[in-house]
Amino acid sequence: MPHNASPTGSEATAPVGTAAGTDTGTHPHPADASAPRTSVALVTGASSGIGAAVARRLAAEGNWHLVLNGRDRTRLERVAQDLDQSANDTSADAFPTDLAEPGADRRLAEYVLDSAGRVDLLVAGAGIGWAGPFDTMPPGAIDEVFSVDVLAPVHLVRLLLPGMVSQGTGRVVLIGSVAGSLGVRDEAVYSAAKAALGTFAEALRYELRGTGVGISHVMPGVVDTPFFERRGAPYLRSRPRPVPAERVAEAVWQAITRNRDEVYVPGWLHMPSRLHGAAPALYRRLAARFG
């Protein structure tokens, strides 16, 4: 969910090699036809938090080429370098750019397709939030939340999906939020953005039936990342307790390997979501009382 908040400006749009002398246009491939094919994954929001944890989880399996995106150039390079130096047939490139900027999604998609030739997996983990009463929310913040949380992943899917459909295989993992299922007080726009992302995943899943391309929607609750500090308000409640980003990354891996459509993290969060759908009036009374 979190989108790295240290802006680098429009200059952060060129790929960065992950080690001294690395040619970012060259990627490792199996030595012979009998070796496993290296899979290509694009992970956004990978400077820290969930995105970085997902990148590490993929690298732990080996035989991946990862293209990592985030706004914080320094942290993104550090994540990519750590993964690129691992000894498990994983390589990583960093492409720092702010997905809120016009055309950033197109530049990112063009880079990964030009350099790697295809994308087998897209994990759309970039996201930002804003907390506070809606009537005090700056109009620019409304636009930024929707740009990063909805428009950027939708545009990336539009740019990368034809290649996946053409090759008859691939997966898109959209990192949503339980806020999109339930709505959260003082997070009206963030909740609306994540709800839009979830509905997009559901509708697209029907369109892609029989193509070999899967859509997974992973919905975390409270995650122990810098997201809350960056949105302008830290998480102060005692319950539910934040889960580590690695737990979400494991859920992403399970969604990929088990072809799961929807995953709540932690799993018990599906219960209030079901109650909200089955008995909305009762849910609203409980939510108003307990927050």
Side-chain angles (χ1 to χ4, degrees), residues 1-277:
M1 266 187 316
H3 185 66
N4 301 302
S6 298
T8 53
S10 59
E11 66 193 24
T13 58
V16 178
T18 55
T22 297
D23 178 357
T24 57
T26 303
H27 307 288
H29 295 284
D32 56 64
S34 63
R37 183 175 99 156
T38 299
S39 298
V40 179
L42 170 59
V43 183
T44 69
S47 302
S48 65
I50 293 173
V54 168
R56 289 191 292 267
R57 183 63 182 87
L58 294 175
E61 296 297 322
N63 209 40
W64 283 92
H65 174 65
L66 305 174
V67 177
L68 309 181
N69 163 256
R71 279 201 294 194
D72 190 311
R73 176 184 290 268
T74 301
R75 284 189 298 192
L76 188 70
E77 289 178 9
R78 186 179 304 121
V79 172
Q81 288 170 357
D82 289 345
L83 298 181
D84 200 53
Q85 293 168 1
S86 62
N88 55 355
D89 298 321
T90 291
S91 62
D93 289 345
F95 192 97
T97 192
D98 182 353
L99 290 177
E101 293 181 357
D105 43 30
R106 175 185 51 79
R107 292 190 295 272
L108 176 59
E110 287 177 350
Y111 169 69
V112 67
L113 290 176
D114 289 346
S115 60
R118 69 181 192 282
V119 173
D120 302 298
L121 170 67
L122 166 64
V123 180
I128 59 173
W130 191 92
F134 177 66
D135 61 4
T136 67
M137 187 174 186
I142 297 173
D143 295 341
E144 188 177 17
V145 168
F146 267 89
S147 293
V148 175
D149 294 5
V150 182
L151 295 180
V154 167
H155 282 302
L156 279 174
V157 172
R158 175 62 185 86
L159 291 164
L160 299 176
L161 186 60
M164 292 184 180
V165 172
S166 177
Q167 67 188 18
T169 182
R171 180 157 294 270
V172 173
V173 180
L174 301 173
I175 306 297
S177 170
V178 71
S181 299
L182 303 176
V184 175
R185 180 184 302 163
D186 289 336
E187 295 186 61
V189 172
Y190 177 75
S191 297
K194 290 302 185 180
L197 197 65
T199 303
F200 170 69
E202 181 73 9
L204 190 58
R205 193 176 294 120
Y206 298 136
E207 293 185 26
L208 294 174
R209 185 170 297 170
T211 66
V213 180
I215 304 291
S216 296
H217 183 207
V218 177
M219 291 164 282
V222 185
V223 185
D224 185 12
T225 71
F227 172 80
F228 293 98
E229 295 177 5
R230 293 172 184 165
R231 71 174 185 174
Y235 182 74
L236 300 176
R237 296 181 59 176
S238 59
R239 281 189 274 177
R241 297 183 62 182
V243 300
E246 288 73 19
R247 186 166 175 181
V248 184
E250 183 60 33
V252 169
W253 180 249
Q254 295 302 318
I256 295 167
T257 56
R258 299 183 182 181
N259 300 319
R260 299 185 65 181
D261 293 339
E262 291 187 341
V263 184
Y264 286 90
V265 187
W268 63 264
L269 284 175
H270 79 280
M271 293 187 291
S273 296
R274 289 184 178 179
L275 177 61
H276 180 270

